[in-house]
Amino acid sequence: MIISGSTLLGIVIANSFSKRVKELFDIKTFLTVFETSMSDIGMHTEDILQSTRQYMKTGIKQIISNIYSDMQTEYPDLLEKSWEEQIIKNRGKLSLTDQDIDTFISIGKFLGNTGLENQKKHIQHMIGVIDKQMEHAVTQRDKNKKIALNFGVLGGLMITLMLM
Amino acid sequence: MTLVTQHDKYYFATLKIFPEKIRALTDELSPEQWQDVNEIRLRAGSRIMVCVKGIYRYLDEYIGKRDTTPFIVCQQDLKTIVELATRNSVYMHLEDIKKGFITIREGIRIGICGRPVIKNNEISNIHEISSLNVRISREYIGCALPLMKYIVDNTGNISNTLVISPPMCGKTTILRDICRLLSDGYSPGPIPEGVNVGLVDERSEIASCKNGVPQRNVGKKTDIYDDCPKVLGMNMIIRCMSPAVIITDELGNDEDEKAVMNVLNAGVKIITSSHGYTISDMNSKKSIVNLMNNKVFSKYIVLCNEKGPGTLKEVTDGAGINKIR
């Protein structure tokens, strides 16, 4: 039981490194789809928020859904405000670092509030930032995932041996 | 006088674009007070003004809040209004913003003033917004009925008509109702069944389409080119929808003349409008002068604000000389 529990803990820790990569990838996907929907299809921000949800698989999907719901209320607030509120509210459910969260929040500060060319520039800049953070996240994942898994199994074994 | 007990749809559409603190103030307007409001003017660093039956008043005074500290609009409020009005999609409305306005749901038009960004001698955006003018255009079903006898003769022949009116005198409202009456037909009248109408709604003010569905009553036989340049729309609608009459707003550009001639050459009638106080005001507009010289229009309808928006001042025949009314 001790070995299983410890291994499970190792798996959970290891998965959080993978989860961060997936969440960052979802944010990047959102930005890419947003750019295409905005410039090529000419969709409104709230329609883009609704349609991009299908491309996501992590907790980012829930945040985007909540922001979309906020925009459907009788008197919707600015996207920027709802964006920040929802990220802060759901922060605990994400594996993103503080730096990732800051990047994610900063997306809401420009989304939809400038002309097309500026939107594209902002999006491309943010994609660049996220790419860098993803590189770091992948390195961290590769480095720490094995350690966490091994540590889980070995830790369990050690505790069991000590108790014996 | 009928007591108005409920706010209309324009009220709720207007509230949607205001940040909470301005909404709280506007929310105190009674339905009756709201009915008389034509414009809401917001200027950075000033109190909110409303145009009530042509007279400008401070909003807080109009709602009877004289004893409290007046609310002063800041620039961030104006920026927020533009973002909310565009549904957080400023990029979708930039072409309109360049021209100084945006049209939102229910046909409410917001004039924008500020510091323009100039690129290649053209305005590419307006930043540092300094003032906004929220124009509330209402729908008055049947307001054009008294004019129909001048536009459609006893045999059902529709006259090419130019509606001339100064701003805020109901030009668009009258055009919208003419569109509805021609499309749905009216009785007693020479066209009880109505005709196919092509509407080129360049600023989305006449039909106020949302997802392809007109939010204003423009008639059941009306095909609409929404948010489309007049010249392009007029040429396209002739080819694809074969209307009996084309209706469009605010003629005046040089290119408009050619588009109107194309419409006439296709055997389609045209009803349109232009800014002005009298027929002679049209002399300053080259394209309209050319159309007048070519006797394109058979009727000129001049509106004024004497007894409120939409007051009929005069109706003149195509020569512009013989007053019919």
Side-chain angles (χ1 to χ4, degrees), chain B residues 83-307:
Chain B
E83 284 184 44
L84 288 174
T86 58
R87 291 156 61 204
N88 293 291
S89 312
V90 172
Y91 57 87
M92 288 281 286
H93 298 262
L94 197 65
E95 286 307 311
D96 285 342
I97 292 172
K98 283 180 196 175
K99 293 177 206 159
F101 71 89
I102 44 175
T103 309
I104 61 161
R105 281 176 268 207
E106 310 300 351
I108 293 165
R109 189 161 150 186
I110 305 171
I112 305 168
C113 209
R115 181 182 288 179
V117 181
I118 311 282
K119 265 186 195 168
N120 304 326
N121 280 336
E122 277 183 14
I123 295 174
S124 65
N125 200 351
I126 296 176
H127 70 154
E128 289 187 26
I129 298 166
S130 58
S131 56
L132 296 175
N133 177 17
V134 182
R135 285 180 64 181
I136 296 115
S137 68
R138 293 187 172 83
E139 194 174 24
Y140 294 99
I141 301 285
C143 64
L145 201 57
L147 301 176
M148 294 314 283
K149 60 185 174 202
Y150 305 115
I151 298 168
V152 187
D153 68 17
N154 291 335
T155 59
N157 184 36
I158 299 165
S159 301
N160 295 317
T161 307
L162 180 67
V163 179
I164 300 164
S165 149
M168 300 283 294
C169 286
K171 190 167 57 261
T172 306
T173 310
I174 289 279
L175 267 187
R176 184 185 304 122
D177 205 45
I178 292 172
C179 182
R180 180 188 67 83
L181 289 163
L182 289 174
S183 175
D184 285 348
Y186 55 99
S187 59
I191 48 166
E193 295 300 318
V195 294
N196 285 331
V197 179
L199 175 63
V200 183
D201 196 3
E202 191 171 13
R203 294 183 179 92
S204 298
E205 276 190 303
I206 305 176
S208 309
C209 283
K210 184 186 165 192
N211 299 330
V213 181
Q215 302 298 298
R216 308 284 181 108
N217 188 350
V218 287
K220 55 181 183 276
K221 288 183 188 166
T222 303
D223 302 301
I224 308 159
Y225 266 113
D226 179 48
D227 198 11
C228 170
K230 266 194 296 291
V231 176
L232 296 176
M234 280 196 269
N235 288 330
M236 287 199 292
I237 211 158
I238 298 166
R239 286 197 295 269
C240 60
M241 302 312 284
S242 59
V245 57
I246 288 179
I247 293 181
T248 188
D249 206 1
E250 294 182 17
L251 214 66
N253 292 339
D254 291 347
E255 298 159 342
D256 295 347
E257 182 192 344
K258 205 176 163 191
V260 170
M261 291 314 289
N262 281 345
V263 168
L264 299 179
N265 289 338
V268 180
K269 302 290 183 180
I270 183 139
I271 297 173
T272 184
S273 69
S274 186
H275 278 294
Y277 290 82
T278 57
I279 296 173
S280 54
D281 281 358
M282 297 299 108
N283 290 333
S284 59
K285 296 179 181 179
K286 197 182 150 196
S287 59
I288 296 183
V289 169
N290 291 343
L291 291 171
M292 287 167 87
N293 290 341
N294 288 327
K295 303 213 171 6
V296 164
F297 299 110
S298 339
K299 295 284 174 353
Y300 297 98
I301 295 173
V302 186
L303 303 176
C304 66
N305 204 1
E306 210 175 280
K307 293 174 189 166

